[in-house]
Amino acid sequence: MGGFPSIKTFFLLLFKQLFPPACPLCGRPLSATDTDVLCDDCLAGFTPIPSSHCPLCALPFTGKSNRPHLCGRCIRNRPAYEKVYSVGLYDQSLRRAIHHFKFNRKVGLDRSLGVLLEREVEADLPLDVVIPVPLHHKRLQQRSYNQALLLAREFAKIRNLPVLTDLLLKVKETQSQQGLSAKQRATNLQGAFAIQRSIENATVLLIDDVLTTGATADACCQVLLTGGAKAVYVAVIGRAA
């Protein structure tokens, strides 16, 4: 029995040589230098949020200033959430990863994207629960899975936090947000979300795949705060510029 671990290790190494693990995004076999959840080439295509961004909604700035400051939208109408965390800008490889994950049923990306998302949130942030942005039941039937829920589960697994899947609901079917202005998006989402029960004094992390104007996140946060949440933070994979 004493030699079993070494034999097991040998066969694991042999298996990896015969069937090397592949990058879940591009499918390329991972080399010895690829030490992260995706291959180095795919990770190199992710554009991080620049140092010059809104510290509240993570909107990137294109001006000369390299210091974070509130954007005009957050100054005019402060959102209900405390802060947005994002893996990077919604472009290039990250945009492709999200599209594969969301629309091409490449659900195997949930772990990789969830790990990357967890790294963006401070380890000492005092979170109580993780909640995914819900889909309307008709959209869920069409897609068969909620990508935000898959990400939430991966994040919660790493942080050892509960995921509340039945608290926040999307109760109104809305038109696609794509192509709508910020004002139209907010109007489109009025009355779209509801909660099943109170969530007294909980600090919540709300998870979604992409944040554009923040209308969806803000609508969800308002409902959660009305239901008793102490504070709501938002974490997304991609932040649209």
Side-chain angles (χ1 to χ4, degrees), residues 39-237:
C39 73
D40 292 344
D41 290 341
C42 286
L43 286 173
F46 291 1
T47 305
I49 301 295
S51 58
S52 179
H53 66 273
C54 176
L56 187 53
C57 74
L59 178 71
F61 299 133
T62 56
K64 295 181 180 180
S65 172
N66 61 0
R67 292 184 299 177
H69 55 275
L70 288 179
C71 68
R73 183 176 294 154
C74 287
I75 292 174
R76 291 190 302 271
N77 187 19
R78 188 179 180 89
Y81 47 78
E82 299 292 323
K83 182 179 179 179
V84 171
Y85 300 91
S86 177
V87 172
L89 296 183
Y90 184 54
D91 64 5
Q92 301 185 61
S93 293
L94 191 55
R95 183 187 183 102
R96 181 163 57 91
I98 293 170
H99 273 243
H100 281 313
F101 179 52
K102 187 173 182 177
F103 301 115
N104 296 346
R105 297 180 179 275
K106 212 162 185 178
V107 294
L109 283 166
D110 60 345
R111 178 183 174 274
S112 300
L113 295 177
V115 167
L116 294 175
L117 185 59
E118 189 275 335
R119 292 175 186 171
E120 297 300 323
V121 180
E122 296 98 333
D124 59 352
L125 188 67
L127 298 171
D128 295 310
V129 295
V130 179
I131 297 178
V133 170
L135 294 176
H136 188 267
H137 68 87
K138 289 185 179 179
R139 179 63 59 86
L140 184 59
Q141 288 174 349
Q142 293 170 355
R143 192 173 294 165
S144 78
Y145 64 94
N146 179 0
Q147 70 282 353
L149 173 57
L150 299 182
L151 293 171
R153 284 174 173 165
E154 291 300 321
F155 185 102
K157 189 188 303 180
I158 299 170
R159 293 289 178 99
N160 194 28
L161 290 169
V163 181
L164 301 185
T165 60
D166 61 346
L167 178 76
L168 182 65
L169 303 177
K170 190 169 186 182
V171 294
K172 186 180 81 173
E173 188 177 12
T174 58
Q175 70 177 100
S176 172
Q177 296 279 79
Q178 193 170 4
L180 299 181
S181 67
K183 185 176 181 180
Q184 290 171 329
R185 285 171 181 250
T187 301
N188 188 39
L189 291 168
Q190 286 181 356
F193 299 101
I195 57 171
Q196 295 273 68
R197 58 189 181 277
S198 65
I199 183 172
E200 292 298 329
N201 295 319
T203 300
V204 177
L205 182 71
L206 181 74
I207 289 185
D208 205 359
D209 54 347
V210 178
L211 188 138
T212 305
T213 66
T216 299
D218 194 51
C220 290
C221 290
Q222 288 181 33
V223 170
L224 290 168
L225 291 169
T226 301
K230 181 167 62 176
V232 184
Y233 295 82
V234 177
V236 298
I237 301 299

